[in-house]
Amino acid sequence: GRLADGASGRNAGFVLLGAPGADPGSPDASERVRAQRLWSFTRENVRAIRSLDARAFDLHWTGSVLAAGSEEEASMLRRQAAALPEVEWLDPDGLHRRIGGRGFHGGLFVGEGGVLHPAKLVRHLASLSGATVLERSRVLRLGTEAGGVVVSGREGELRAGRVALCLNAYLPQLLPELAGW
């Protein structure tokens, strides 16, 4: 198909710090390190996105909310609020006012968050990269040769130093050995 076609270009579109379940306030030291690495990675992602022309992919900085559906989740989010300077703990009433909802046990507001058009972002990044993007070109086989990659398809072969395959759910069709991943 086309670059960012199908579900890959329609889903999500969220620019978020951290990830649900990654707890930088965890009592477990290895989980804290893992979560801190994830938060650091997503901070760098936000910085990279901020450096781009937001109009090219309809970026709007709105902040984001993580809502606790249980008291256990609320406890984890409170620990995160204590560990992360960029988040704000919202008690249940404050969260409900912010989101216009009910039934949550509190949550976090993260100011560094937003929404964007994911297909437009991918196409914008491709245009900035200088890479040659071949759309609607079915890859039948991959191989290597000295100093590069050989990509074979119905239209012929392509030789390159590096290749990025954007396959999403189609990965097992080209590389069955990676189906479990």
Side-chain angles (χ1 to χ4, degrees):
R2 292 187 57 227
L3 190 61
D5 222 0
S8 298
R10 287 191 308 265
N11 290 339
F14 301 114
V15 181
L16 303 172
L17 288 182
D23 185 1
S26 173
D28 178 88
S30 62
E31 169 56 21
R32 270 195 318 276
V33 169
R34 185 187 75 81
Q36 288 166 352
R37 288 179 64 198
L38 178 66
W39 277 79
S40 178
F41 173 78
T42 57
R43 277 187 207 103
E44 289 301 315
N45 184 53
V46 166
R47 285 187 191 114
I49 290 172
R50 278 196 183 281
S51 73
L52 301 171
D53 179 4
R55 296 168 300 186
F57 45 92
D58 305 335
L59 173 63
H60 302 281
W61 293 107
T62 58
S64 64
V65 171
L66 292 171
S70 68
E71 193 48 52
E72 181 183 8
E73 287 179 353
S75 177
M76 180 181 71
L77 294 179
R78 277 191 213 93
R79 286 194 312 263
Q80 290 181 22
L84 298 165
E86 64 263 82
V87 304
E88 173 190 352
W89 168 253
L90 300 171
D91 64 24
D93 290 337
L95 175 68
H96 296 148
R97 276 192 304 278
R98 182 174 285 277
I99 67 172
R102 295 173 120 162
F104 293 102
H105 296 257
L108 296 181
F109 175 72
V110 185
E112 289 280 328
V115 294
L116 54 78
H117 190 298
K120 288 181 179 181
L121 173 63
V122 169
R123 293 180 187 127
H124 181 67
L125 292 173
S127 73
L128 295 175
S129 75
T132 300
V133 177
L134 301 175
E135 296 181 317
R136 296 188 172 96
S137 299
R138 187 177 183 94
V139 175
L140 302 173
R141 192 172 51 259
L142 288 176
T144 58
E145 64 178 31
V149 179
V150 178
V151 180
S152 301
R154 283 182 235 160
E155 295 86 13
E157 288 186 350
L158 170 76
R159 287 173 170 70
R162 287 183 274 177
V163 173
L165 297 171
C166 305
L167 303 172
N168 204 352
Y170 298 102
L171 176 68
Q173 291 181 17
L174 183 61
L175 301 169
E177 65 273 20
L178 298 179
W181 297 97

